[in-house]
């Protein structure tokens, strides 16, 4: 009975993976990552690892023994990160869970963010899924540590400077829009010229066939409608 309790005490807890004997998990560098316990059984614990998705599981969860996990009471203490006052809320580009995560944001990177063109998404490099990893994410917003109100286990490593690339894309889109507008104007011009040519032809035919006054009447009616 105590064994079942040992697993149940992990229910709904934040945990850190300390070990795994599964080769696939080791290949995904799961050890050292954090996650949320979703459910427990009498012999295993299902965890939703931050920013990861287990393709072999129908719900994307990873399964562990009790001895492979540590309950984390204060993640910021666990990583002992200090010296930052802002938290970057980031959506990881390849995150199957499509969740937002908080990363410590230091002044040096804040200075780079301030200079960034806000008309485009701002990409950050963060050390999610382990301090030695470098993962790309999109900045959603910036909060103070107090506003975020939770422990932070990773940090912003750098700001991706895409200003030159964005400028090229903007210019490409501008040229495409110009080409689109030119094509529209040319289409209207061709239509007007064709209309003028048709009227000129009709007038010529009416003059050449005075025996048929109906032609002149129709040409005049067409010209009036064209006005």
């Amino acid at each position: 009975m105590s064994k079942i309790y040992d697993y149940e005490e992990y229910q709904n807890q934040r945990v850190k993976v300390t070990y795994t004997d599964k080769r696939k998990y080791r290949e995904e560098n799961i050890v050292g990552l954090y996650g949320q316990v979703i459910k427990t059984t009498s012999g295993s614990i299902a965890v939703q690892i931050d920013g990861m998705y287990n393709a072999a599981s129908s719900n994307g969860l990873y399964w562990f023994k009790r001895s492979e996990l540590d309950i984390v009471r204060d993640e910021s203490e666990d990583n002992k990160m200090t010296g930052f006052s802002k938290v970057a809320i980031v959506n990881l580009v390849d995150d199957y869970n499509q969740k937002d995560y908080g990363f410590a944001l230091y002044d040096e990177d804040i200075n780079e963010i301030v200079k960034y063109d806000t008309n485009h998404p701002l990409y950050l490099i963060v050390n999610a899924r382990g301090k030695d990893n470098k993962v790309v994410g999109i900045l959603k917003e910036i909060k103070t540590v107090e506003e975020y109100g939770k422990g932070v286990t990773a940090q912003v490593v750098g700001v991706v400077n895409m200003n030159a690339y964005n400028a090229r894309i903007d210019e490409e889109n501008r040229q495409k829009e110009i080409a689109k507008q030119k094509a529209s104007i040319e289409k209207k011009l061709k239509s007007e010229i064709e209309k003028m040519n048709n009227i000129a032809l009709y007038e010529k035919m009416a003059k050449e066939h005075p025996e048929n006054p109906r032609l002149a009447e129709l040409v005049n009616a067409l010209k009036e409608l064209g006005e």
Side-chain angles (χ1 to χ4, degrees), residues 175 177-189:
Q175 292 297 335
E177 183 60 28
I178 289 174
K180 182 179 177 182
Q181 292 177 5
K182 286 174 64 177
S184 176
I185 292 172
E186 287 174 355
K187 182 178 179 181
K188 292 177 182 177
L189 279 171

Side-chain angles (χ1 to χ4, degrees), residues 82-86 104-115 124 155-159:
T82 60
F84 65 95
S85 59
K86 298 290 191 299
L105 181 60
Y106 290 88
D107 291 344
E108 296 86 350
D109 293 316
I110 292 177
N111 293 335
E112 289 299 314
I113 290 173
V114 169
K115 296 186 294 184
L124 302 176
Q155 63 182 295
V156 173
V157 176
V159 179

